[in-house]
Amino acid sequence: MSSRRKTKISFKKSNVQTFLFFLIFTSVLWLLIQFSKNYTQEVEVGILYTNLPEGKIFNDDSDQTLRMTLNGNGFRLMNHNWKKPVLEFNVEDAVVNNDDRYYFYIDKESKILKNKLDFKGRILVVQKDTLRLKLDVNLEKKIPVRIEQDIKYAVGYGSDKGLITIPDSIMISGPSQVIDTIRSVDTESLNLEGLNVDYTSDLNINTQILPSTVKVFPEKVEASVMVSKFTEGNQKIPITLNNVPEGVEIKIFPKEITVVYRVGLDRYNEISSRDFMVTADYAKASEESSFLTLELTDQPKSIHDVRLQEKQIQFVVLK
């Protein structure tokens, strides 16, 4: 490459660099000039209340924002455009305190307001001259946990105790008028298909259906199912006849009934006929019928899917 060509390329690079320098310099100068000018702008300011009395909580009906019009140079307003300013108000500085309602007067000429806002310009307009804070009584209550469940066991399997929740109740806290209306809390649903082994998992409390002012603890519970092999069992149970009038003799057919049930193999031998009671109430007999309805009034807690092979028996009144 000739020296003449190299000189030409070098000259072009020098021109480009000079042009870029002056472009950046003039742009920065223009920005400085623009930001040094005064502007009027409306901003929204967040409100934060501090030093709340013990046992009280914030009510969402309180004033939480304040709109105001500011006047100042671009540098002073720039900070308020980048992030939302927050004004802090100490509850102890409230001008009026009446029945858990606190009021704070806003004076746009006050130096205290400018200091809180950290603004060196002028405050032209304030949306309102009074801020209202409302507090609620913070109430704690223990309530039961409910689990929407659909558990299907594999053939030949079951559970003596079913689904166990630990803990079975949780603490909730929030405004008293809200907490008083809550009787229980739900978890996410649990759906299991073909279960044949022990199962344990954590379930989150469904806080989405609770008001935003309510807090829960803990936020999850442990759900477990102890699974065992199941088999079918049966027992012949004598029928107990109730409410027979004095001096009346009644014969029933049959005198005993078979109860069929499912039970864990490990408890099969623990079940006996003494654990059951089947009754028939003569006071419920119909004059047009010679049948009495049977009721299973007592049974072991460890059995499942209990049924009577016959639901009625015949009776005869002997005179």
Side-chain angles (χ1 to χ4, degrees):
M1 183 180 291
S2 66
S3 60
R4 183 178 179 182
R5 183 175 179 82
K6 288 182 180 179
T7 303
K8 188 176 180 180
I9 294 174
S10 176
F11 179 74
K12 286 183 178 179
K13 288 182 177 179
S14 177
N15 285 345
V16 171
Q17 290 174 349
T18 303
F19 172 77
L20 290 175
F21 171 78
F22 280 105
L23 177 62
I24 295 173
F25 176 77
T26 54
S27 298
V28 171
L29 185 62
W30 181 84
L31 286 173
L32 291 173
I33 293 173
Q34 295 304 314
F35 274 104
S36 64
K37 295 179 180 180
N38 269 19
Y39 296 92
T40 298
Q41 180 179 344
E42 186 180 75
V43 299
E44 185 176 75
V45 179
I47 305 299
L48 176 65
Y49 300 99
T50 62
N51 202 21
L52 271 60
E54 187 176 353
K56 303 289 185 178
I57 57 175
F58 180 81
N59 185 296
D60 286 337
D61 290 338
S62 306
D63 290 322
Q64 302 181 55
T65 59
L66 178 65
R67 299 197 69 84
M68 57 178 62
T69 304
L70 305 179
N71 178 266
N73 63 45
F75 294 104
R76 290 170 177 169
L77 292 172
M78 185 167 54
N79 287 335
H80 295 81
N81 289 326
W82 285 351
K83 62 179 180 179
K84 187 176 181 179
V86 177
L87 289 176
E88 292 190 7
F89 289 89
N90 190 326
V91 170
E92 293 182 352
D93 296 333
V95 178
V96 179
N97 174 5
N98 183 20
D99 193 24
D100 285 335
R101 295 176 185 267
Y102 300 79
Y103 297 89
F104 303 84
Y105 292 154
I106 305 298
D107 181 3
K108 65 183 181 67
E109 303 296 338
S110 170
K111 291 183 179 180
I112 297 177
L113 181 60
K114 288 185 179 180
N115 291 337
K116 286 184 177 182
L117 192 60
D118 192 21
F119 182 66
K120 305 302 181 183
R122 297 171 57 206
I123 301 176
L124 301 180
V125 179
V126 177
Q127 178 190 27
K128 57 180 68 175
D129 60 7
T130 304
L131 293 178
R132 179 177 62 96
L133 167 64
K134 182 180 178 182
L135 298 182
D136 288 321
V137 175
N138 187 40
L139 182 66
E140 291 186 345
K141 184 169 72 171
K142 193 173 185 179
I143 58 172
V145 174
R146 297 188 310 181
I147 299 179
E148 184 180 339
Q149 56 179 293
D150 183 13
I151 301 176
K152 294 183 174 62
Y153 298 95
V155 176
Y157 290 85
S159 175
D160 286 337
K161 296 182 179 179
L163 182 65
I164 298 175
T165 307
I166 302 175
D168 60 2
S169 57
I170 64 169
M171 294 297 298
I172 61 172
S173 64
S176 56
Q177 67 269 26
V178 176
I179 297 300
D180 284 339
T181 64
I182 302 176
R183 299 289 177 262
S184 62
V185 66
D186 297 324
T187 69
E188 55 187 319
S189 59
L190 178 64
N191 300 299
L192 301 173
E193 186 81 23
L195 189 64
N196 60 3
V197 294
D198 293 344
Y199 175 86
T200 300
S201 70
D202 288 335
L203 296 178
N204 294 316
I205 300 297
N206 188 0
T207 57
Q208 295 181 351
I209 61 175
L210 296 173
S212 59
T213 53
V214 174
K215 296 181 180 180
V216 301
F217 180 81
E219 294 186 351
K220 60 178 61 177
V221 296
E222 182 184 275
S224 62
V225 185
M226 303 298 290
V227 179
S228 60
K229 276 269 192 180
F230 265 48
T231 188
E232 187 173 270
N234 64 79
Q235 300 285 342
K236 282 193 174 294
I237 312 300
I239 299 170
T240 301
L241 192 60
N242 293 331
N243 295 319
V244 178
E246 189 176 350
V248 176
E249 184 180 356
I250 296 176
K251 294 290 184 181
I252 57 175
F253 308 95
K255 294 183 178 181
E256 59 181 16
I257 196 75
T258 300
V259 179
V260 182
Y261 51 87
R262 292 177 68 243
V263 63
L265 280 175
D266 55 343
R267 294 201 170 186
Y268 180 81
N269 293 326
E270 297 177 5
I271 309 301
S272 71
S273 60
R274 296 187 299 273
D275 300 321
F276 299 86
M277 177 172 285
V278 179
T279 62
D281 191 351
Y282 180 72
K284 296 180 180 179
S286 170
E287 293 182 0
E288 293 79 19
S289 175
S290 59
F291 290 90
L292 292 173
T293 301
L294 296 177
E295 294 182 45
L296 181 63
T297 55
D298 196 12
Q299 67 180 64
K301 293 182 179 179
S302 58
I303 64 174
H304 304 269
D305 304 327
V306 188
R307 68 184 189 277
L308 300 175
Q309 279 194 335
E310 300 292 338
K311 295 182 179 181
Q312 291 182 324
I313 56 171
Q314 283 187 304
F315 73 95
V316 175
V317 179
L318 302 179
K319 297 182 180 180

